[in-house]
């Protein structure tokens, strides 16, 4: 097993892992999400307000239609009133007219109330509408910032992948298989360095006797950390 070649590969893989980590936590991702949320909220507010305007308008149109019907009916009754001589019949007609007038007053109130709601909703829609251009511009900026940050990471990743294929070519097929297996088992770090008395994989100090045994290995030979089980290079 060529420990130095594996370490070179391990360093590149660690850099690639680091890149993936950075990609998942790009501040530009959070910035873009916040900008998109602002735009979404404003659009939702505008749609909700527009729906309220439409509902109020429909209510007003319906009330106006009923008012027209009432006016026609009232005119008819007034016509009848002119041709009637019996006071009892006249009284009945006047009562009917009074009922129509009361209904008309109610309608006017309903219409006024709907007009108020329409105006309020129009204001709310206008406020959302006014806020949208700036929010959409901020979202476009956030998109561009995210694209630039992602492109920078893509560039770094391509570079590392190029290095990796060179480093992997220097390792035998069997060692590569074993390395990949150990990487899966040991959370991405298959082979560690001895850093003073400490394993760079598990960050624990080795016992004196273990150190002596590892140091007695021939140059370039790969040992194993007695603590974490990772491959361990004593002299790199
Ligand atoms: Zn260790």
């Amino acid at each position: 097993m060529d420990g130095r070649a594996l370490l070179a590969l391990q360093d590149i893989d660690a850099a690639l892992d680091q890149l993936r980590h950075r990609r998942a936590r790009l501040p530009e991702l959070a910035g873009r999400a916040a900008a998109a949320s602002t735009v979404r909220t404003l659009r939702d507010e505008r749609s909700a307000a527009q729906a309220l305007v439409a509902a109020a308008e429909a209510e007003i149109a319906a009330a106006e239609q009923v008012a027209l019907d009432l006016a026609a009916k009232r005119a008819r009754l007034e016509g009848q009133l002119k041709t009637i001589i019996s006071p009892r019949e006249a009284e009945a007609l006047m009562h009917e007219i009074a009922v129509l007038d009361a209904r008309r007053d109610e309608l006017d109130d309903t219409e006024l109330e709907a007009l108020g709601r329409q105006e309020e909703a129009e204001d709310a829609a206008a406020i959302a509408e006014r806020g949208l251009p700036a929010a959409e511009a901020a979202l476009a900026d956030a998109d561009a910032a995210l694209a630039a940050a992602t492109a920078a990471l893509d560039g770094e990743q391509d570079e590392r992948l190029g290095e990796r294929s060179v480093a992997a070519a220097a390792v035998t097929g069997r060692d590569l298989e074993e390395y990949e297996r150990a990487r899966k088992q040991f959370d991405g770090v298959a082979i560690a360095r001895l850093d003073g008395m400490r394993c760079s994989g598990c960050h624990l100090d080795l016992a004196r006797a273990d150190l002596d045994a590892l140091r007695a290995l021939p140059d370039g030979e790969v040992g194993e950390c007695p603590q974490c089980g990772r491959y361990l290079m004593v002299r790199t």
Side-chain angles (χ1 to χ4, degrees):
M1 193 175 246
D2 184 345
R4 289 196 178 90
L6 282 178
L7 263 181
L9 189 60
Q10 174 69 78
D11 288 344
I12 295 165
D13 278 337
L16 281 166
D17 288 344
Q18 181 62 27
L19 277 174
R20 271 188 287 277
H21 184 84
R22 274 166 58 198
R23 193 184 289 274
R25 284 162 188 75
L26 277 176
E28 286 83 357
L29 277 173
R32 203 236 166 241
S37 156
T38 303
V39 168
R40 205 164 38 242
T41 302
L42 286 172
R43 285 182 184 155
D44 287 351
E45 282 171 2
R46 183 181 59 181
S47 314
Q50 283 168 341
L52 287 176
V53 170
E57 280 172 351
E59 228 175 292
I60 292 163
E64 276 170 359
Q65 187 53 55
V66 175
L68 280 178
D69 294 347
L70 289 178
K73 212 167 170 187
R74 194 184 195 284
R76 211 164 48 240
L77 292 176
E78 281 197 320
Q80 286 175 27
L81 196 56
K82 283 183 191 133
T83 63
I84 273 172
I85 355 138
S86 144
R88 211 161 55 87
E89 274 174 310
E91 201 181 315
L93 276 173
M94 277 162 74
H95 174 71
E96 255 187 89
I97 288 171
V99 169
L100 287 181
D101 287 347
R103 176 86 188 91
R104 175 63 209 242
D105 285 349
E106 275 172 32
L107 266 180
D108 285 348
D109 289 348
T110 305
E111 207 175 325
L112 261 178
E113 195 261 331
L115 271 169
R117 268 187 286 126
Q118 180 189 348
E119 220 168 275
E120 212 173 284
E122 275 169 352
D123 287 349
I127 288 170
E129 185 75 47
R130 273 199 299 278
L132 265 171
E136 281 165 350
L139 177 56
D141 287 350
D143 275 335
L146 178 59
T150 303
L153 287 180
D154 288 345
E156 269 187 68
Q157 182 174 296
D158 286 349
E159 210 176 307
R160 294 289 96 78
L161 286 174
E163 291 168 7
R164 192 189 194 278
S165 56
V166 173
V171 177
T172 66
R174 248 184 61 187
D175 283 0
L176 198 58
E177 255 176 54
E178 179 52 27
Y179 166 81
E180 297 292 5
R181 184 203 61 74
R183 234 169 85 77
K184 277 199 194 83
Q185 183 183 351
F186 295 118
D187 200 24
V189 182
I191 179 164
R193 290 179 168 83
L194 190 65
D195 182 12
M197 291 174 65
R198 180 164 293 188
C199 161
S200 70
C202 61
H203 309 293
L204 294 171
D205 284 346
L206 270 67
R208 175 63 59 190
D210 292 329
L211 277 175
D212 289 344
L214 282 166
R215 281 180 180 140
L217 288 173
D219 184 47
E221 190 71 28
V222 180
E224 202 178 293
C225 171
Q227 254 115 209
C228 66
R230 288 183 174 89
Y231 292 115
L232 191 60
M233 276 292 282
V234 178
R235 285 174 294 272
T236 58

